[in-house]
Amino acid sequence: MSTGKRLAGLLLLTSSLTFPTFAHAQDQGTAQGTEDAEDPLLEAVDAAQEEDYDEPEVSVPGGGIIVTGRRNRDPVRGSTQVLNVLTSEDIARTGEGDIAGALSRVTGLSVVGDGRVFVRGLGDRYSLALLNGLPLPSPEPLSRVVPLDIFPTNVIASSLVQKTYSANYPGEFGGGVINLTTRAIPVEDFLTVSLSGEYDSETTFENGLTYFGSDWDSLGFDNGNRDIPSFLRQAIDSGIPLDQLPLDATVADPNALTREAIAGQLLPTNLVTLQRQDNLPANVSANITGGASFEIGDGTYLGIIATAGYQNQRQNRSVRNQRASIDDFSFITEDSTNFITDENVLVNGLLSFGLDFGENTIRWTNLYIRDTLKTARLAEGFDVTLGSADGADLLRQRTAWFERQLIDTQLVGEFEFGDGEFQLDTRAGYARTDREAPFNAQILYARSNDTTPDEPADSLRNVLGSNFIAYFEGDNEFYNQTVSFDDLKEENYAAGADLTWSGIDGFDLTVGYAWSDTDRRSESRIYSPLIRPDVRTDVNFDPALLGLRRPGDIINGATLAAFNVDVLDFVDFPVFDALLEVHAAYGQVRWVATDTVTVDVGVRYEDAVQRVTLPEGQTTTLPVETNLENDYFLPGGTITWEFIPDLQLRVSASKTIARPQFRELVDQIYFDPISNRDFRGNAQLIDSEFTNLEGRAEYYMGGRNRVSLAGFYKDISNPIEPIILGGSGTGDLTTTYANAPEATLFGAEVEFVYGFDLSSWGGFFETKELLVIANYTFTDSELGIPDPDAIVPTVVGDVPVSIVFEEGNPLVGQSDHVANFQIGFEDFEKTQQAFFLFNYASERVTTRGFATPDVVENPGLTVDFVTRSDLDAWGLPLQLSLEVRNIFGRDNFEFLENETGRIEVNSFDIGTRVQIGVQAKF
């Protein structure tokens, strides 16, 4: 923070977040004498000497660094845009452990799946996530941005959600922007240590599944056991296709690299053997955060903040998957229950340095987040289309490991010169994300039920028909044994500079330039081992009987000696390279036209190159590569009118875009462990274009009390929708992507915040306030098909638009109704609060049907309770917390439905979770 602000103990949001009038009043020296007393800035300085609570830290493009002070000016009211800011206090009130959960309480926002935030019914692909105003690459191939559930709340100082577009933000602005600001320079030295334990009614002290993996799994790291096996590594490095390698060694070349040697390493016992784990332990988390500031010269301050955290959570799920005849959902062809035990480990660290000198600030932020998922799964079901006339019984086991890692370093500076007439903001950053999913093994055991009383019980037919067998013969209908290895690396370099001129009272002119270069390499390899008779051996043994063994015992030394053991490579294009480079320049004016009218208008120019290519040496005539080169002028403007004191009216209009994301373009198969299905990209996608309109009324009743009502409309050309491609196994639905011709989205939202002073009640309530926070968003959307004869390019070829899209259907991810309600009390003088939290979202489409009904999710109503309170014990200031999540046990429902019935595709019970935590301050 700048020295002047530190001495005053006051922080105001910079010009990007507040009306310029306040910023200019002091700089221009226009107010003197009695006018000074009425200046809102000076009044705030005086009041700051009496108040003692933190201002939210907010760092955004074109607005400079926001640091800590002691007097809060509400940015929701002071902004020239429509936004919400979650401060550290707001986040604590929700009790959520990650930012995605906290953001689900913001008006118009909902969280889908694994930390993917939807804004006003638009999927996460239409949302933009920034960290301290800089972009972040995603370690998750199924998410446009970094899944926000990997950001622990203890490393984030504030979360800003802006729903109207302004030119200082990147043009990929469909639903809104989410800007996370990390902790910066502390006002005073501090050290906090927190511990918590959590009980899950579906998981804790219940039986679960696991597999050995490695000794370090519970720490979120692998000790090398999951490295690509040595022989497979040699084959990959050589670049020689597997089918060009010899099957086995010969006398002439006994040391040759062979397919048999590769297959022999694909099913290590410690990575593919399911085990039952009795009495699963409670979930635990621990965090330590410290900060200090030092005066290192006259008016120069150095601040340091460091934090480290660990979290281990387990969850049991029994997921129902079904498949049915397309014409008659009452005829179930497949039905299975997939019992899943997930162990999720999150390790994070933050190291931030800040330097204040004069009115200038420099901050260097370094962030590390590692999120791992170890999953063990066993699906039991039947399939009437396989085996005997009565169908076959199936057991499918899956063992997998997914690790996501983010390393981010940023250098941001805010400088003032020319007696405050000019402000220069600079920012540069490098971020790298990695996602590895090694040894994702899927083994199918099948009981065909094809038996006959005409043969002895120990005949081959009866043994195979009455036992669960893992078949490794390529021509068998039950052959479905795979081991996959995924590796994704994405790097992002970004830089920007913004210059603001404030030479005229009530008028700010900002120009800026931003550059971003993102490169991704994605590798996905899927292998299937084969076992066939070897005519060179004298073994009278059907290889199918080997499938009676556990997976790790099927291919052993004896098997390699007696049979031909081979391996198939199912992926034609295992490696893709992708890049997105964007150059942008913008101009923006913020003008206080009158005492009651403020205008924020700007235009942004973006020139982008986006490519998905095969590495050198790989060629194909198939449409698997992408080359998009586009440039856009993107205007945006908002007018705010203070109609009467405390009542503001806003109107906003803008044009924005949404580019296809790498995961939507790359023609590779990715398995999503949350939705339990595969995803495949489509290289023929094109950009989506938006026209955005909004009107809003806001009434402020003093303090935090306010009510607002807004209406919004979006016209979208070529929206990108996930669609069903096909199915496999016991009901897994493969999902791909396609451009719909057009869509419209419109709706309204209302927000109410009010605090009732309870001090007149006396006693316990003398220092209490009853706080009520409620918001509701109604959204409607419709797909449009102006040309019913249009053709839609997909990964399976060009298809008629009517097969994929239907006129009037809603956009994927859009709930008609999203509502939040919070009620509880807070103490004025100490940390003591208790809140009930209600969250509701109506049904929404998760995947568009491909000649089938859409896949629909029904989130419904969830109710939580959170409380925390200060307590002095053993001479330490402690803070105790209690959280009860999903009090009424709302379950997950995802299904397909038509007039003939309903089938479940990803439905499971969700437990009630009770967490107790303690935080010590030193």
Side-chain angles (χ1 to χ4, degrees):
M1 71 190 67
S2 62
T3 305
K5 294 174 184 175
R6 172 182 289 275
L7 294 176
L10 172 69
L11 171 71
L12 294 178
L13 296 177
T14 56
S15 58
S16 68
L17 293 178
T18 57
F19 289 164
T21 304
F22 301 145
H24 300 323
Q26 212 173 31
D27 293 339
Q28 300 299 317
T30 57
Q32 300 291 332
T34 57
E35 294 179 359
D36 286 349
E38 298 176 358
D39 189 293
L41 178 61
L42 298 180
E43 290 177 0
V45 173
D46 294 336
Q49 299 173 1
E50 302 175 3
E51 301 289 346
D52 187 19
Y53 54 90
D54 288 342
E55 182 77 16
E57 302 178 38
V58 180
S59 178
V60 295
I65 297 173
I66 308 301
V67 291
T68 304
R70 295 183 178 179
R71 176 78 176 176
N72 181 40
R73 181 176 297 280
D74 184 2
V76 176
R77 181 176 185 178
S79 171
T80 58
Q81 301 291 338
V82 176
L83 55 80
N84 295 88
V85 175
L86 283 181
T87 66
S88 56
E89 290 79 11
D90 297 327
I91 295 170
R93 187 182 302 116
T94 70
E96 298 285 356
D98 59 68
I99 290 300
L103 286 172
S104 68
R105 313 296 177 178
V106 174
T107 308
L109 269 63
S110 56
V111 177
V112 179
D114 196 13
R116 300 164 196 166
V117 176
F118 284 46
V119 180
R120 289 176 167 172
L122 288 172
D124 71 305
R125 70 165 324 282
Y126 296 115
S127 300
L128 176 68
L130 305 174
L131 183 67
N132 297 323
L134 287 166
L136 283 172
S138 174
E140 179 55 67
L142 304 177
S143 181
R144 176 190 186 275
V145 297
V146 173
L148 298 181
D149 63 339
I150 71 173
F151 283 94
T153 55
N154 70 304
V155 306
I156 301 299
S158 71
S159 301
L160 179 145
V161 180
Q162 183 170 315
K163 301 172 187 175
T164 52
Y165 175 69
S166 54
N168 56 311
Y169 284 115
E172 288 195 74
F173 192 109
V177 63
I178 300 168
N179 186 86
L180 307 180
T181 301
T182 54
R183 293 177 179 269
I185 302 175
V187 174
E188 58 185 16
D189 298 353
F190 71 97
L191 176 65
T192 62
V193 178
S194 61
L195 301 170
S196 69
E198 181 182 76
Y199 168 83
D200 184 327
S201 62
E202 290 288 324
T203 306
T204 309
F205 309 132
E206 301 291 335
N207 294 333
L209 293 176
T210 189
Y211 65 97
F212 177 75
S214 79
D215 291 328
W216 297 357
D217 286 359
S218 291
L219 299 178
F221 294 85
D222 177 65
N223 65 358
N225 283 355
R226 295 182 177 88
D227 291 348
I228 293 179
S230 57
F231 293 133
L232 179 58
R233 181 80 270 170
Q234 290 181 43
I236 293 172
D237 292 343
S238 71
I240 301 173
L242 289 189
D243 58 7
Q244 296 181 22
L245 294 176
L247 174 63
D248 53 14
T250 63
V251 175
D253 191 2
N255 297 319
L257 178 61
T258 66
R259 302 198 302 272
E260 184 178 74
I262 293 172
Q265 294 181 327
L266 286 180
L267 298 175
T269 301
N270 63 322
L271 299 182
V272 298
T273 304
L274 280 180
Q275 299 172 321
R276 189 179 76 174
Q277 184 175 3
D278 298 332
N279 298 317
L280 291 173
N283 300 327
V284 296
S285 66
N287 291 278
I288 181 170
T289 304
S293 60
F294 312 91
E295 185 172 8
I296 58 177
D298 185 18
T300 300
Y301 293 85
L302 173 68
I304 302 174
I305 290 181
T307 183
Y310 169 83
Q311 176 179 289
N312 187 308
Q313 290 187 318
R314 289 175 171 84
Q315 182 184 23
N316 281 340
R317 290 181 287 160
S318 291
V319 180
R320 184 80 177 275
N321 301 101
Q322 295 177 307
R323 289 180 64 81
S325 168
I326 293 179
D327 300 323
D328 184 4
F329 277 13
S330 66
F331 178 55
I332 305 297
T333 58
E334 295 181 43
D335 197 342
S336 71
T337 299
N338 192 2
F339 185 81
I340 302 170
T341 301
D342 290 334
E343 182 181 6
N344 182 250
V345 178
L346 179 65
V347 178
N348 66 84
L350 171 76
L351 182 61
S352 178
F353 301 91
L355 184 67
D356 283 344
F357 52 101
E359 296 298 322
N360 309 301
T361 304
I362 298 175
R363 180 168 59 179
W364 179 28
T365 303
N366 303 277
L367 179 66
Y368 174 81
I369 298 177
R370 182 179 178 86
D371 182 38
T372 59
L373 175 68
K374 179 181 182 180
T375 183
R377 303 166 178 234
L378 182 63
E380 182 177 5
F382 72 86
D383 189 331
V384 299
T385 67
L386 300 175
S388 70
D390 295 328
D393 297 311
L394 306 177
L395 285 176
R396 184 186 304 275
Q397 74 157 59
R398 192 165 203 154
T399 53
W401 172 268
F402 303 89
E403 58 184 53
R404 303 177 294 179
Q405 182 171 283
L406 166 66
I407 299 174
D408 181 73
T409 183
Q410 301 178 340
L411 187 63
V412 185
E414 181 186 58
F415 309 98
E416 290 188 9
F417 52 94
D419 294 328
E421 186 172 324
F422 292 93
Q423 299 88 42
L424 175 65
D425 302 315
T426 61
R427 59 192 69 230
Y430 167 79
R432 169 173 168 168
T433 55
D434 295 271
R435 179 191 186 266
E436 293 187 38
F439 274 108
N440 187 332
Q442 181 174 254
I443 306 297
L444 173 64
Y445 285 82
R447 184 171 60 196
S448 69
N449 297 317
D450 183 16
T451 60
T452 176
D454 299 332
E455 297 182 15
D458 60 354
S459 68
L460 180 62
R461 176 179 176 181
N462 284 336
V463 170
L464 296 180
S466 59
N467 289 278
F468 283 97
I469 307 291
Y471 291 90
F472 283 79
E473 300 162 282
D475 56 355
N476 191 287
E477 64 178 337
F478 297 112
Y479 175 65
N480 192 12
Q481 327 300 352
T482 61
V483 181
S484 65
F485 299 84
D486 293 345
D487 190 3
L488 180 150
K489 181 179 80 172
E490 184 169 306
E491 293 181 290
N492 174 266
Y493 295 87
D498 309 272
L499 179 64
T500 300
W501 175 65
S502 306
I504 301 176
D505 188 22
F507 184 90
D508 282 358
L509 172 64
T510 301
V511 294
Y513 167 79
W515 167 76
S516 175
D517 187 355
T518 304
D519 295 279
R520 172 184 285 198
R521 166 154 285 203
S522 176
E523 299 186 35
S524 180
R525 306 175 189 273
I526 305 175
Y527 303 100
S528 288
L530 285 166
I531 304 176
R532 301 189 183 100
D534 189 345
V535 296
R536 297 170 300 177
T537 62
D538 194 19
V539 176
N540 185 21
F541 188 83
D542 193 295
L545 296 176
L546 296 171
L548 288 167
R549 301 172 179 172
R550 297 180 303 177
D553 296 331
I554 293 175
I555 301 179
N556 55 23
T559 304
L560 294 171
F563 298 92
N564 278 334
V565 180
D566 203 349
V567 61
L568 297 179
D569 182 354
F570 283 112
V571 180
D572 294 327
F573 308 108
V575 182
F576 279 90
D577 291 320
L579 69 87
L580 173 62
E581 185 173 15
V582 181
H583 292 272
Y586 76 91
Q588 186 174 8
V589 170
R590 296 183 179 91
W591 175 39
V592 182
T594 70
D595 291 341
T596 59
V597 176
T598 300
V599 178
D600 184 331
V601 62
V603 64
R604 187 181 186 92
Y605 172 77
E606 288 196 356
D607 182 89
V609 175
Q610 186 173 22
R611 294 193 178 96
V612 174
T613 59
L614 295 170
E616 186 176 352
Q618 294 190 45
T619 59
T620 179
T621 59
L622 298 175
V624 297
E625 295 187 305
T626 302
N627 186 12
L628 296 175
E629 297 186 19
N630 294 305
D631 63 333
Y632 302 93
F633 283 96
L634 303 171
T638 301
I639 299 175
T640 303
W641 176 30
E642 190 174 2
F643 179 65
I644 59 175
D646 299 326
L647 175 62
Q648 287 186 167
L649 304 180
R650 301 183 194 264
V651 291
S652 176
S654 64
K655 283 186 172 292
T656 56
I657 59 171
R659 299 182 179 92
Q661 304 309 305
F662 292 150
R663 51 101 178 195
E664 298 167 341
L665 293 170
V666 175
D667 191 2
Q668 291 177 331
I669 299 292
Y670 293 102
F671 174 72
D672 177 21
I674 304 302
S675 62
N676 294 305
R677 49 183 175 263
D678 293 322
F679 288 76
R680 180 182 175 187
N682 175 11
Q684 301 177 80
L685 299 177
I686 59 176
D687 293 356
S688 305
E689 298 183 43
F690 287 72
T691 298
N692 311 287
L693 302 173
E694 175 154 356
R696 187 178 185 89
E698 303 164 352
Y699 181 64
Y700 295 88
M701 298 170 280
R704 73 177 92 188
N705 302 334
R706 65 181 184 270
V707 62
S708 65
L709 175 66
F712 53 89
Y713 173 86
K714 296 178 183 291
D715 184 83
I716 312 171
S717 300
N718 305 310
I720 296 174
E721 294 276 275
I723 63 173
I724 296 173
L725 176 63
S728 63
T730 57
D732 297 332
L733 299 173
T734 300
T735 298
T736 185
Y737 304 90
N739 285 104
E742 62 183 29
T744 57
L745 180 143
F746 56 92
E749 62 185 28
V750 60
E751 181 178 23
F752 175 79
V753 180
Y754 200 87
F756 298 88
D757 189 351
L758 304 179
S759 59
S760 62
W761 292 19
F764 173 79
F765 298 101
E766 187 173 358
T767 58
K768 302 295 188 295
E769 177 187 47
L770 178 68
L771 182 62
V772 177
I773 302 175
N775 58 68
Y776 166 75
T777 302
F778 167 77
T779 310
D780 192 14
S781 62
E782 295 181 355
L783 292 176
I785 305 177
D787 181 6
D789 298 321
I791 297 298
V792 176
T794 73
V795 292
V796 294
D798 294 344
V799 300
V801 65
S802 59
I803 293 181
V804 184
F805 302 109
E806 183 176 340
E807 180 92 26
N809 275 2
L811 287 165
V812 168
Q814 178 249 307
S815 291
D816 287 351
H817 310 282
V818 175
N820 291 283
F821 180 72
Q822 303 177 37
I823 184 169
F825 71 83
E826 288 186 325
D827 194 287
F828 296 131
E829 298 182 352
K830 62 181 178 180
T831 301
Q832 187 178 74
Q833 58 184 205
F835 280 87
F836 282 97
L837 304 95
F838 302 81
N839 178 266
Y840 173 79
S842 61
E843 289 186 356
R844 57 193 173 214
V845 175
T846 58
T847 307
R848 182 74 58 215
F850 194 117
T852 65
D854 296 336
V855 181
V856 176
E857 180 185 38
N858 185 8
L861 174 68
T862 58
V863 181
D864 303 331
F865 174 74
V866 297
T867 182
R868 60 181 183 143
S869 179
D870 284 345
L871 174 70
D872 288 327
W874 304 290
L876 288 177
L878 301 179
Q879 186 179 109
L880 300 181
S881 62
L882 171 67
E883 303 173 17
V884 185
R885 301 288 181 182
N886 197 23
I887 293 174
F888 298 110
R890 174 68 186 186
D891 298 327
N892 189 85
F893 300 100
E894 194 172 6
F895 54 88
L896 286 83
E897 188 173 28
N898 62 16
E899 64 277 2
T900 65
R902 164 173 160 165
I903 60 173
E904 308 297 327
V905 297
N906 187 34
S907 298
F908 54 90
D909 294 340
I910 300 177
T912 298
R913 295 179 289 123
V914 180
Q915 183 183 94
I916 298 176
V918 60
Q919 181 185 86
K921 299 179 181 180
F922 300 90

